[in-house]
């Protein structure tokens, strides 16, 4: 029997999901429903039923069921959220950063780690956060600029990492096909935790089908190939005192891919084929102070991208124009007041940050920077035990190198508690974003200069939403309907020489849709979930009188998971259709991804697990752009995890192999 068919068959027979003993089982038993607490939606701790916004909490159990290896993969299971990759195998290559799309808005997601903004130069960096460092992921959908400022057009993704709790640790070693290897080690006490994640991946065969050059100028096309690469993730969290916590995360990756000409003449093929090498380093640090109702944060983020390219008929590599350094400094201080014996609350705060961008591959070096400051507040008023209203407002001042901006973003929410198991809500909010500094300043005629119009305004618009939630011990389901209307979308306008190098406003974006999800606990050990979304994201560009599709329209995800003291198993299936048109005029093929896993617990501290991704071995086109890049083919991974407690702090001997 074919090995892949055999693995798929075994996975299908055992496909039910979830939780190993590495996760706190006590928490799972006490959490009998999905009415979990979130801290992101309203910047205070609220149960899901008490939160007047569409949101999801991705737990460690759900991370296991999907087989996600990074936060980027994990959020694709949330209805209304799709991910776009722009490099072979879904890896980030230079300027081809993977993007998270919330409700049809490309780059419409603000990424946070422990509440600290991660977006640098318009990119979120979700792919750099390994799941081994993640405690949970909170996804808030809808305009969120009132509480979080720029870039939260479609919503917010808050990755909450593990924190010091009890003394102990874990170690994982894993091997798979196509040259993949993974090593995870973590150790913590009640004062600090440290974790290291090391990954290696092998080559991927050419992934672009042969097609004729549609422009008729080159008379050839490209294959795309992914070469060997590796990544390193380090995360640390330490309690300096009962009130102060220091967090640090570093991510390193080395990768390369090639554009290989389809020409049969070897000389011409070498002339037109190029391999690109990239080294990507990211650092994120935050100092968080919490005392009663006050939270203060100092944060620092940076990213250094180094890229080189070499044509196959030459021996010398040259720096790519996508090489850059970006930095961000900031602070945020907020306080919460309770009124009327806790029935009402007021959250108010001030925040500020500085963004710096430095392109390193141009002959003229400048360091454009942007400063922004804001005051914000949100007041929750209990009208009666059944009705609660929330009014929020934010005023932002932006010291921009092209044009200073003053932005006012209001938000209104209304919550109706039907009973202890269900609620309804209305959510109306405004959001905005600024162009990235790399789009504001570009290399023109080998000089680095400003290309944005002096009259450039922020992208801005409104999100209108109504939703219903029902959550109990047996099952839960959510449904929401939304409408989005945005203007001033950034576009490129030709300069005096006809080159599209001037950044202007002019585009519009609209979307209307519905999102729904249902989960049911079939037994104490078995849980099933299904979710989907359908929307009509449309964009109209300047000087055009028609609307064109801006993102996929239909998304479907389902999964089932099983756990017992001895076994864990699960499977998930996701489907994305009605996608964008490719450069040949046809629709990009549907994405169909089937993953599964099965694990065996030797005892409460040792687990052996087999994961399989893309069991159908589909050539999933994972980008919506002109060029096609495929996701990974069928892959599998066999892993062994050993947890250690205070009395067994010796790393397993398997790590020494």
């Amino acid at each position: 029997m074919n090995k892949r068919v055999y693995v798929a068959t075994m996975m299908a027979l055992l496909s039910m999901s979830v939780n190993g003993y590495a996760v706190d089982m006590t928490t799972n038993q006490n959490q009998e429903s999905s009415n979990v607490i979130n801290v992101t939606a309203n910047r205070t701790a609220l149960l899901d039923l008490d939160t007047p916004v569409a949101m999801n909490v991705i737990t460690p159990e759900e991370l296991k069921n999907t087989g996600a290896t990074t936060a980027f993969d994990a959020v694709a299971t949330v209805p209304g959220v799709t991910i776009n990759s722009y490099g072979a195998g879904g890896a980030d290559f230079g300027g081809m950063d993977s993007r998270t799309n919330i409700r049809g808005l490309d780059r419409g997601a603000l990424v946070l780690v422990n509440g600290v903004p991660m977006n640098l130069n318009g990119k979120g960096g979700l792919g750099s956060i390994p799941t081994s460092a993640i405690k949970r992921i909170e996804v808030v959908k809808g305009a969120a600029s009132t509480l979080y400022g720029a870039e939260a057009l479609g919503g917010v993704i808050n990755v909450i990492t593990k924190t010091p709790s009890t003394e102990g640790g874990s170690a994982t070693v894993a091997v798979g096909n196509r040259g993949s290897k993974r090593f995870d080690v973590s150790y913590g006490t009640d004062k600090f935790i440290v974790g290291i994640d090391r990954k290696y991946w092998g080559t991927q065969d050419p992934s672009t089908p042969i097609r004729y050059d549609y422009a008729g100028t080159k008379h050839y096309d490209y294959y795309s190939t992914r070469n060997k690469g590796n990544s390193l993730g380090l995360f640390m969290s330490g309690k300096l005192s009962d009130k102060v916590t220091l967090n640090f995360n570093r991510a390193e990756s080395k990768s390369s891919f090639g554009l290989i000409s389809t020409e049969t003449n070897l000389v011409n093929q070498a002339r037109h084929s190029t391999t690109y090498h990239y080294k990507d380093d990211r650092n994120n640090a935050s100092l968080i102070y919490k005392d009663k109702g006050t939270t203060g944060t100092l944060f620092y983020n940076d990213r250094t991208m180094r890229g080189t390219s070499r044509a196959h008929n030459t021996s010398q590599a040259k720096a790519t124009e996508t090489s850059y350094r970006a930095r961000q400094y900031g602070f945020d201080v907020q306080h919460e007041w309770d009124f009327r014996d806790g029935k009402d609350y007021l959250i108010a705060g001030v925040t500020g940050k500085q963004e710096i961008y430095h392109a390193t591959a141009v002959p003229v070096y400048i360091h454009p920077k942007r400063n922004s400051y804001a005051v914000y507040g949100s007041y929750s008023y209990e009208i009666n035990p059944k009705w609660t209203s929330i009014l929020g407002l934010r005023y932002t001042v932006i010291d921009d190198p092209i044009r200073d901006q003053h932005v006012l973003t209001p938000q209104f929410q209304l919550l109706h508690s039907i009973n202890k198991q269900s609620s309804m809500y209305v959510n109306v909010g405004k959001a905005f974003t600024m162009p990235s500094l790399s789009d504001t300043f570009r290399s023109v005629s080998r000089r680095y200069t400003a290309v944005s119009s002096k009259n450039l305004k922020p992208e801005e618009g409104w999100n209108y939403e109504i939703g219903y939630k029902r959550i109990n011990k047996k099952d839960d389901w959510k449904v929401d309907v939304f409408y989005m209307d945005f203007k001033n979308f950034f576009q490129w306008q030709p300069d005096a020489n006809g080159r599209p190098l001037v950044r202007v406003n002019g585009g519009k974006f609209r979307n209307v849709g519905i999102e729904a999800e249902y989960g049911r606990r079939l037994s104490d050990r078995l849980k099933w979930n299904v979710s989907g979304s359908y929307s009509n994201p449309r964009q109209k560009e300047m000087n055009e009188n028609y609307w064109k599709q801006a993102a996929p329209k239909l998304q479907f995800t389902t999964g089932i998971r099983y756990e017992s003291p001895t076994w864990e198993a699960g499977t998930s299936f996701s489907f994305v259709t009605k996608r964008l048109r490719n450069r040949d005029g046809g629709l990009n093929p549907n994405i169909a991804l089937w993953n599964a896993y099965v694990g065996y617990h030797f005892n409460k501290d040792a687990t052996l697990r087999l994961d399989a991704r893309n069991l159908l071995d589909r050539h999933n086109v994972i980008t919506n752009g002109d060029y096609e890049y495929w996701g990974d083919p069928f892959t599998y991974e066999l892993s062994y995890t050993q947890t250690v407690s205070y009395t067994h702090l010796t790393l397993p001997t398997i790590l020494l192999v």
Side-chain angles (χ1 to χ4, degrees):
M1 183 182 292
N2 181 276
K3 180 170 66 175
R4 187 173 68 249
V5 175
Y6 175 77
V7 174
T9 303
M10 295 299 296
M11 290 291 196
L13 292 173
L14 295 169
S15 62
M16 299 165 240
S17 95
V18 230
N19 321 320
Y21 280 95
V23 181
D24 187 351
M25 298 296 292
T26 303
T27 301
N28 294 334
Q29 292 169 358
N30 293 335
Q31 188 180 298
E32 296 178 330
S33 74
S34 298
N35 193 23
V36 295
I37 292 176
N38 77 93
V39 297
T40 306
N42 290 75
R43 294 188 73 130
T44 189
L46 292 174
L47 290 169
D48 195 348
L49 281 175
D50 299 328
T51 305
V53 67
M55 55 82 58
N56 294 79
V57 177
I58 304 174
T59 64
E61 293 82 6
E62 293 168 326
L63 289 174
K64 286 186 175 185
N65 189 45
T66 62
T69 58
T70 67
F72 179 71
D73 297 321
V75 299
T77 62
V78 176
V81 179
T82 57
I83 57 177
N84 297 330
S85 296
Y86 291 85
D92 291 344
F93 295 103
M96 300 188 299
D97 281 68
S98 299
R99 303 176 188 175
T100 306
N101 185 311
I102 301 181
R103 293 180 172 175
L105 279 170
D106 191 27
R107 295 186 178 181
L110 174 63
V111 177
L112 311 174
V113 174
N114 300 318
V116 175
M118 287 278 290
N119 292 43
L120 276 174
N121 193 38
K123 303 174 177 65
L126 273 173
S128 65
I129 307 172
T131 55
S132 58
I134 298 173
K135 183 178 180 179
R136 69 182 189 275
I137 304 173
E138 298 182 358
V139 181
V140 177
K141 293 174 288 185
S145 286
T146 298
L147 292 179
Y148 291 103
E151 299 185 83
L153 276 75
V156 175
I157 300 171
N158 189 11
V159 181
I160 299 173
T161 60
K162 297 176 180 177
T163 56
S165 56
T166 59
E167 189 163 5
S170 67
T172 299
V173 292
V175 295
N177 62 338
R178 300 184 178 272
S180 66
K181 293 180 291 187
R182 178 169 60 91
F183 307 91
D184 293 328
V185 180
S186 65
Y187 169 74
T189 70
D190 60 344
K191 296 295 184 180
F192 78 95
I193 185 172
V194 58
I196 300 175
D197 176 89
R198 185 67 159 161
K199 295 177 183 174
Y200 301 86
W201 59 86
T203 60
Q204 180 177 303
D205 295 333
S207 63
T208 303
I210 295 177
R211 297 177 300 177
Y212 293 106
D213 174 33
Y214 76 107
T217 57
K218 300 193 302 283
H219 306 290
Y220 63 88
D221 213 320
Y222 294 110
Y223 287 113
S224 64
T225 61
R226 187 188 70 183
N227 301 323
K228 293 181 179 180
N230 61 80
S231 66
L232 173 66
L234 170 68
F235 70 97
M236 296 185 294
S237 180
K239 293 181 179 179
L240 304 184
S241 70
D242 292 339
K243 300 177 181 179
V244 182
T245 303
L246 177 64
N247 298 310
F248 175 77
N249 180 79
R250 176 170 175 82
E252 302 176 2
S253 67
K254 295 180 180 179
S255 56
S256 72
F257 86 108
L259 290 178
I260 312 301
S261 167
T262 59
E263 295 170 288
T264 57
N265 183 286
L266 296 181
V267 175
N268 290 336
Q269 185 186 81
R271 181 185 302 120
H272 298 135
S273 299
T274 305
T275 294
Y276 299 84
H277 300 272
Y278 293 98
K279 188 177 187 303
D280 190 0
D281 297 331
R282 311 184 194 210
N283 295 289
N284 312 102
S286 62
L287 188 67
I288 301 175
Y289 170 87
K290 291 186 177 182
D291 183 25
K292 298 179 180 179
T294 301
T295 301
T297 302
L298 296 174
F299 61 88
Y300 167 82
N301 304 316
D302 70 43
R303 182 181 185 185
T304 301
M305 173 67 70
R306 306 177 185 90
T308 59
S309 64
R310 183 185 65 84
H312 288 192
N313 67 336
T314 65
S315 59
Q316 188 174 0
K318 62 179 183 179
T320 65
E321 291 193 1
T322 57
S323 301
Y324 68 90
R325 292 197 298 269
R327 298 191 302 275
Q328 181 174 257
Y329 312 82
F331 70 91
D332 189 295
V333 180
Q334 77 165 47
H335 187 78
E336 180 176 342
W337 295 266
D338 291 332
F339 304 100
R340 296 201 298 157
D341 297 323
K343 294 181 180 180
D344 307 337
Y345 66 84
L346 169 66
I347 294 175
V350 296
T351 184
K353 67 177 181 180
Q354 182 181 82
E355 305 167 78
I356 302 174
Y357 176 79
H358 179 198
T360 60
V362 293
V364 179
Y365 296 95
I366 61 174
H367 304 269
K369 60 183 180 181
R370 175 188 293 147
N371 298 320
S372 58
Y373 309 92
V375 293
Y376 61 89
S378 176
Y379 187 80
S380 175
Y381 176 75
E382 183 183 288
I383 303 172
N384 57 51
K386 292 290 187 178
W387 292 90
T388 301
S389 64
I390 302 176
L391 181 63
L393 190 65
R394 185 186 192 96
Y395 178 69
T396 305
V397 177
I398 303 171
D399 181 12
D400 188 79
I402 300 299
R403 178 183 177 182
D404 294 344
Q405 305 287 344
H406 300 261
V407 185
L408 193 67
T409 48
Q411 185 172 35
F412 173 75
Q413 298 168 319
L414 184 65
L415 176 72
H416 175 48
S417 299
I418 301 173
N419 51 48
K420 293 182 178 180
Q421 299 180 346
S422 58
S423 63
M424 295 184 64
Y425 67 88
V426 174
N427 179 28
V428 180
K430 187 179 181 182
F432 78 99
T433 192
M434 296 289 292
S436 64
L437 291 176
S438 63
D439 282 344
T440 303
F441 296 86
R442 283 195 161 191
S443 177
V444 180
S445 300
R446 301 297 297 167
R447 291 186 62 85
Y448 207 59
T449 185
V451 296
S452 291
S453 167
K454 296 291 185 181
N455 298 318
L456 196 70
K457 301 177 181 178
E459 293 180 344
E460 60 182 10
W462 290 85
N463 177 89
Y464 308 88
E465 177 185 319
I466 183 170
Y468 172 81
K469 302 178 183 181
R470 181 180 181 272
I471 301 174
N472 58 39
K473 295 180 181 180
K474 269 294 186 183
D475 60 7
D476 56 89
W477 62 283
K478 306 176 185 178
V479 61
D480 62 81
V481 179
F482 65 89
Y483 173 72
M484 307 169 69
D485 189 4
F486 285 80
K487 64 180 182 179
N488 298 334
F489 263 45
F490 305 135
Q491 295 184 212
W492 294 108
Q493 180 175 282
D495 61 8
N497 298 317
R499 298 169 298 183
L501 292 175
V502 182
R503 198 67 156 168
V504 298
N505 301 117
K508 296 180 179 180
F509 174 88
R510 291 176 183 171
N511 193 12
V512 59
I514 182 171
E515 301 160 345
E517 55 188 302
Y518 177 78
R520 183 171 182 85
R521 190 175 298 277
L522 303 177
S523 70
D524 291 340
R525 297 179 176 180
L526 188 63
K527 186 175 182 180
W528 169 70
N529 67 276
V530 62
S531 65
S533 67
Y534 183 82
S535 63
N536 186 26
R538 300 176 298 156
Q539 187 169 344
K540 184 166 71 173
E541 297 182 356
M542 183 175 55
N543 301 323
E544 294 183 350
N545 56 9
Y546 64 93
W547 294 83
K548 65 179 182 180
Q549 185 178 335
K553 292 184 177 182
L554 181 61
Q555 174 196 18
F556 171 84
T557 302
T558 187
I560 188 168
R561 60 183 187 261
Y562 170 86
E563 69 166 323
S564 74
T566 305
W567 290 94
E568 63 177 26
T571 188
S572 65
F573 179 80
S574 59
F575 183 72
V576 180
T577 188
K578 295 186 178 296
R579 306 181 69 205
L580 296 182
R581 296 189 176 277
N582 56 35
R583 63 177 181 176
D584 294 329
L587 292 177
N588 274 327
N590 303 329
I591 292 179
L593 187 62
W594 178 27
N595 303 328
Y597 73 89
V598 59
Y600 177 75
H601 305 293
F602 298 97
N603 52 54
K604 67 182 182 67
D605 295 324
T607 300
L608 184 68
R609 173 167 160 150
L610 177 64
D611 285 83
R613 292 180 59 84
N614 195 6
L615 282 164
L616 302 177
D617 197 26
R618 285 176 54 92
H619 292 158
N620 283 316
V621 178
I622 55 177
T623 179
N624 275 320
D626 287 339
Y627 292 94
E628 292 185 356
Y629 295 100
W630 291 355
D632 285 330
F634 168 76
T635 59
Y636 63 84
E637 180 187 80
L638 182 65
S639 63
Y640 175 80
T641 299
Q642 177 75 48
T643 61
V644 290
S645 63
Y646 175 76
T647 57
H648 302 90
L649 292 180
T650 302
L651 292 178
T653 56
I654 191 171
L655 288 177
L656 304 177
V657 177

